[in-house]
Amino acid sequence: MNIAISGLNNTDNPAPGIPVIKSLQDEHTLIGLSYDANEPGNFMGLCEKTYLMPYPSLGIQELKDRLIDIKEKSNIDAIIPNLDAELPLYIKYQEELENELDISLCLPSLENFELRNKNKLDTLSKTLNINHPKTFEISSIDELMECSKDLGFPLMVKGNYYKAYMSYNLDSAIDNFYKISNEWGFPVLVQEVVSGEELNLIGVADGKGELKGAVAIKKLTTTDIGKIWTGVTIQNDKLMNIAKDFVSNTKWKGPFELECIMSANGDIYLIEINPRFPAWVYFATEIGINLPKIVVDIMQGIDTPAQLEYPQNKLYVRYTGELVTDFTDLIKLLSTKEL
Amino acid sequence: MRPIDQLVLDENNVAFNPVVGNSYQVNDIAKEILIAIRHHKSKEDIINELTEKYDVSKEELFIDVSDFISKVKIYGLL
């Protein structure tokens, strides 16, 4: 298949595109979709061709026009979109893209996508009978003061889409409230702090209620901006069962990541559900669970047995690398929007 | 199953908890105590066994074994 993959940033804030490409490069022809000519993935030589894309904020017509152009040139059969900013567009118009452009996708329904919004996770958690930290949706300082009386300190001040800050007193909570609302708008979420071990699980589901593959890890070290640097595989049956329940109840389709905290008494709290692969997905591939390949199998209608068994105690280590290429590559990408 | 029963003890005296991904470095005697707890031996039995094996008073072992078991509980393994 000719598969287009987005998310080619590979800096200290890496996107999932490169690990997805590494997982699929042996069996498929891969085309990179980039939003920035400077993204390292544009020059790593992993894609047959790379195209610059219009920003998702420009809307569906711009996206469709660009994809029609790319399909003509590279005959793409499928797309794996990997970025939070573009996913709402791909999810909302997935049928249109599949039917009109004949491009396969493996994405959740819009209803499921919205179900895991941070301000709706409380409801979803109750439906699934999973613990979720007490969360308030606020849009004023008065409300912040009110809920801080209920929660006490420390508490988390979170954006509805991105960013979260721990606040140890009212002053820092107000400061963080403004930081978040200025950058990410309203509502702002204020959440109880649950202490324990932070665990992550990535999985792929088939849209019919079956979890087709999953790997759980614990992040051992992270960068200043919270990105994994080292991690270890774990075998946590409770977490795996939460993933299975989530998938069977929602009929989720495509990749997802569960961010959870396991408290000292063994209870698991669901903190966040990301509707995409994380950038450490190649860890799963390396230990025998090729989740991007499962996504491609689902797109092709190939029914494979669920892959939920993997070695525990495997260490993941991220590292930096360099490459040298011709400056003309960057100029060509900027001027022609393809490389 | 108790978390302590799931610990993976290796030849380097590292105990890995596969449920949450934590590792603990233990010494030979701590490893012996962990194994004894996994065999559901009581604190008294563990102390008696160690008294026979090592040249340490029962009183000293009582303090050390109690302290170790407390730590195991603090780490949520028991």
Side-chain angles (χ1 to χ4, degrees):
Chain A
M1 278 179 100
N2 294 341
I3 305 170
I5 290 162
S6 67
L8 305 185
N9 200 11
N10 205 17
T11 59
D12 60 337
N13 185 12
I18 299 302
V20 170
I21 287 169
K22 281 159 69 183
S23 302
L24 298 174
Q25 64 182 351
D26 291 343
E27 292 181 28
H28 301 279
T29 302
L30 303 171
I31 289 93
L33 305 180
S34 173
Y35 290 95
D36 184 339
N38 289 299
E39 287 180 336
N42 300 337
F43 309 104
M44 291 172 71
L46 298 170
C47 296
E48 191 190 68
K49 189 102 180 163
T50 298
Y51 295 93
L52 280 187
M53 297 295 289
Y55 288 126
S57 55
L58 294 171
I60 185 63
Q61 199 51 53
E62 285 284 333
L63 176 66
K64 271 171 71 177
D65 290 347
R66 185 62 174 142
L67 289 177
I68 289 167
D69 180 39
I70 293 169
K71 190 163 173 75
E72 272 176 17
K73 289 172 177 162
S74 289
N75 194 27
I76 52 172
D77 302 303
I79 301 177
I80 302 179
N82 289 302
L83 299 171
D84 287 329
E86 66 184 359
L87 276 167
L89 208 55
Y90 277 101
I91 289 171
K92 189 172 179 186
Y93 297 100
Q94 56 184 300
E95 276 184 30
E96 213 171 312
L97 295 172
E98 285 181 316
N99 297 335
E100 290 180 22
L101 275 61
D102 194 23
I103 291 172
S104 296
L105 295 159
C106 180
L107 296 169
S109 66
L110 186 60
E111 188 194 355
N112 274 345
F113 176 72
E114 288 174 349
L115 209 59
R116 31 82 25 214
N117 275 350
K118 283 184 195 171
N119 59 346
K120 291 183 181 165
L121 256 192
D122 197 34
T123 313
L124 177 64
S125 302
K126 278 178 187 145
T127 311
L128 300 175
N129 204 19
I130 307 169
N131 300 306
H132 180 63
K134 202 169 182 182
T135 307
F136 293 90
E137 204 175 307
I138 63 163
S139 43
S140 71
I141 296 294
D142 283 347
E143 287 175 300
L144 173 63
M145 289 167 78
E146 201 56 41
C147 63
S148 69
K149 281 180 199 160
D150 189 309
L151 296 177
F153 291 97
L155 50 78
M156 295 299 291
V157 181
K158 304 173 86 167
N160 200 21
Y161 298 101
Y162 196 60
K163 287 271 170 82
Y165 296 108
M166 180 93 87
S167 302
Y168 293 93
N169 52 47
L170 190 59
D171 282 348
S172 73
I174 292 171
D175 193 32
N176 291 332
F177 172 86
Y178 283 121
K179 252 192 236 173
I180 297 267
S181 57
N182 285 342
E183 195 176 354
W184 296 99
F186 293 103
V188 170
L189 304 176
V190 178
Q191 193 171 70
E192 169 193 10
V193 172
V194 179
S195 53
E197 303 290 349
E198 199 181 318
L199 309 177
N200 295 61
L201 178 145
I202 33 172
V204 171
D206 63 359
K208 298 170 191 163
E210 192 184 0
L211 180 62
K212 301 301 282 184
V215 169
I217 66 150
K218 179 190 175 173
K219 294 177 183 178
L220 296 177
T221 55
T222 57
T223 64
D224 287 348
I225 54 170
K227 305 299 170 190
I228 185 171
W229 201 257
T230 56
V232 63
T233 51
I234 59 168
Q235 200 68 55
N236 190 308
D237 295 340
K238 276 189 186 174
L239 185 56
M240 192 61 85
N241 287 335
I242 286 173
K244 285 178 186 170
D245 286 348
F246 163 66
V247 165
S248 67
N249 275 280
T250 59
K251 305 283 185 291
W252 184 272
K253 188 176 181 189
F256 66 91
E257 180 191 21
L258 302 182
E259 293 185 10
C260 299
I261 288 181
M262 191 170 187
S263 66
N265 63 5
D267 289 337
I268 292 188
Y269 287 78
L270 181 62
I271 304 297
E272 204 169 319
I273 302 174
N274 292 316
R276 51 159 176 78
F277 288 125
W280 54 268
V281 61
Y282 192 64
F283 186 12
T285 305
E286 279 288 288
I287 57 163
I289 311 282
N290 192 329
L291 296 168
K293 184 179 183 305
I294 296 174
V295 164
V296 175
D297 286 343
I298 293 170
M299 289 196 286
Q300 290 179 305
I302 300 168
D303 191 22
T304 52
Q307 297 173 50
L308 307 175
E309 300 290 328
Y310 53 87
Q312 62 189 26
N313 212 358
K314 285 288 175 188
L315 181 70
Y316 170 79
V317 182
R318 186 171 273 164
Y319 64 97
T320 56
E322 297 91 17
L323 65 85
V324 174
T325 187
D326 291 328
F327 184 62
T328 49
D329 286 351
L330 175 64
I331 300 303
K332 188 184 172 204
L333 186 56
L334 282 166
S335 56
T336 65
K337 299 195 183 324
E338 55 188 77
L339 182 64
Chain B
M1 190 187 278
R2 302 170 303 174
I4 198 167
D5 299 317
Q6 292 171 288
L7 283 181
V8 181
L9 291 161
D10 73 8
E11 68 279 8
N12 299 313
N13 285 356
V14 172
F16 176 69
N17 180 354
V19 178
V20 290
N22 287 339
S23 298
Y24 309 92
Q25 180 75 58
V26 294
N27 61 24
D28 290 336
I29 298 177
K31 191 175 177 179
E32 273 186 62
I33 301 172
L34 280 179
I35 292 167
I37 296 170
R38 279 156 53 136
H39 288 145
H40 297 277
K41 289 185 179 169
S42 68
K43 186 159 81 177
E44 287 67 34
D45 288 343
I46 295 170
I47 292 166
N48 288 334
E49 277 180 24
L50 292 174
T51 311
E52 283 170 24
K53 203 167 169 188
Y54 300 101
D55 184 24
V56 187
S57 72
K58 217 168 183 175
E59 290 72 25
E60 200 175 332
L61 269 173
F62 180 84
I63 294 167
D64 288 348
V65 172
S66 302
D67 184 42
F68 182 76
I69 291 173
S70 299
K71 276 186 184 159
V72 168
K73 284 180 180 167
I74 288 167
Y75 288 133
L77 297 171
L78 197 59

